Amino acid sequence: MGQLEIRLAVRWLELNDLNYEVGLPEAARKGRQAAAIEAARENQEPLAGHDGKRKHQEDEKEKCPPESLDGSSSKKRRIRRLRRDHPEAAQRLERGEFKSARAAER
């Protein structure tokens, strides 16, 4: 279990007043799910579409805003792509029906 998962688990435990014991794996899972829901709520705008032409030239990269260069696997980009391509899945993610943005993509 990585440091991020442990931090998410600790944060989830801090935010939830529990009257029962919770193991670290369950707390980490719930923490990841809570982080995905929070990210879905923060990223309401869908990702902008493209005209179908993929330009791989270096000068085109310079024209892109820095936030678009953070990689297609970032949580923010995944959620915005879901909002654009599968708005119903994005809404389900926000309601907590998926444990992560990656799970909602499947």
Side-chain angles (χ1 to χ4, degrees):
M1 186 168 299
Q3 288 182 355
L4 176 63
E5 287 183 316
I6 292 172
R7 283 187 299 193
L8 288 172
V10 169
R11 182 71 179 137
W12 182 81
L13 288 169
E14 289 173 349
L15 294 174
N16 292 279
D17 186 24
L18 303 176
N19 56 3
Y20 58 93
E21 290 185 18
V22 176
L24 184 58
E26 182 182 353
R29 181 180 57 78
K30 290 183 181 272
R32 283 191 307 272
Q33 184 177 15
I37 291 168
E38 184 179 336
R41 289 183 180 147
E42 289 175 359
N43 295 291
Q44 292 293 321
E45 286 189 36
L47 192 63
H50 59 79
D51 60 1
K53 298 176 185 174
R54 305 289 172 122
K55 300 175 183 170
H56 298 287
Q57 300 168 350
E58 287 299 317
D59 61 332
E60 290 298 323
K61 286 184 180 179
E62 292 174 12
K63 295 178 186 175
C64 295
E67 61 269 15
S68 69
L69 298 176
D70 63 348
S72 61
S73 63
S74 74
K75 187 184 300 185
K76 195 183 238 186
R77 185 168 173 85
R78 284 179 187 277
I79 292 168
R80 292 182 73 202
R81 190 180 320 124
L82 269 176
R83 289 204 187 283
R84 180 190 70 196
D85 298 340
H86 306 285
E88 67 285 343
Q91 290 172 350
R92 290 177 61 202
L93 173 65
E94 192 170 334
R95 289 192 303 262
E97 295 181 31
F98 296 107
K99 66 179 186 176
S100 66
R102 182 172 288 180
E105 287 181 325
R106 295 182 200 150

